[in-house]
Amino acid sequence: VLCQAIGPAERVEDGRPAHAAQVDLERVLGLAGGALPHARSGRIGLKRFWARRFRRLMPASLVCLVGVLVFAATVATPAQLVDLRGDMLAALRYVANWRFIADGASYADLFVAPSPVLHFWSLAIEEQFYLLFPLVVAGLLAAVRGSRRVLTAVLAFATVASLAYSAVLVAGNVDDLIP
């Protein structure tokens, strides 16, 4: 994924990025190592899971945001300072993706005059996923009365449906996705 972020995207024969679904799949599989082992007993320790995520990510996020504050105080131009406060608050609250969407910027527009906290958009999406997905799993476990087979089937179906839907969306908009 890092190599793809640094260089041009490899393309499959029809012109789509070869790594289009890689990041999403890695996040979903990463969750299996985080919350799902706690589901063996039919219970998921959500508070413990979220506390571990917070303790792991917040210190690095704060160090990054302090660095951005130093940038703002020393070398940022007035134009860069216009949205910086709101961008930083959104980054701190893990809602940077929604802030950038609310600004009306397309994905490609985000790279024209990027915010110093632009990279927080993916962390925000990840944290929103980690907030909601365990609740979905807990709700499904309750709905299927703890049946891990039914839970697995429902999650597998949802994964395939989501991947197919993403492929349909990307197939028609490749030129809009790549700046």
Side-chain angles (χ1 to χ4, degrees):
V1 171
L2 289 176
C3 292
Q4 295 298 336
I6 300 169
E10 294 177 25
R11 307 228 178 250
V12 291
E13 290 179 14
D14 63 359
R16 287 180 296 129
H19 63 282
Q22 181 178 359
V23 174
D24 293 331
L25 186 58
E26 287 173 357
R27 286 192 178 132
V28 171
L29 294 176
L31 180 65
L36 293 183
H38 302 291
R40 294 192 206 299
S41 66
R43 295 177 165 245
I44 298 175
L46 294 179
K47 288 181 184 177
R48 195 168 130 218
F49 172 71
W50 289 324
R52 277 195 326 265
R53 300 263 329 146
F54 183 83
R55 284 191 310 268
R56 185 172 70 87
L57 295 173
M58 190 51 71
S61 295
L62 290 175
V63 168
C64 179
L65 292 173
V66 167
V68 172
L69 282 174
V70 171
F71 160 79
T74 58
V75 297
T77 66
Q80 291 172 316
L81 294 174
V82 171
D83 292 325
L84 190 57
R85 181 174 184 244
D87 291 351
M88 289 185 64
L89 288 172
L92 187 60
R93 295 177 181 142
Y94 296 126
V95 293
N97 59 322
W98 293 109
R99 170 145 173 100
F100 297 132
I101 289 169
D103 284 346
S106 71
Y107 181 77
D109 291 340
L110 294 175
F111 299 96
V112 174
S115 167
V117 295
L118 177 62
H119 59 285
F120 274 88
W121 74 267
S122 63
L123 183 60
I125 292 168
E126 181 177 344
E127 289 311 300
Q128 292 160 23
F129 176 81
Y130 282 125
L131 177 67
L132 297 175
F133 189 72
L135 295 174
V136 169
V137 170
L140 284 172
L141 276 172
V144 299
R145 299 179 187 201
S147 172
R148 294 192 62 168
R149 283 187 179 177
V150 175
L151 174 67
T152 301
V154 168
L155 292 177
F157 175 79
T159 300
V160 170
S162 176
L163 188 58
Y165 183 64
S166 295
V168 168
L169 290 176
V170 170
N173 299 309
V174 171
D175 293 334
D176 295 336
L177 295 173
I178 308 294

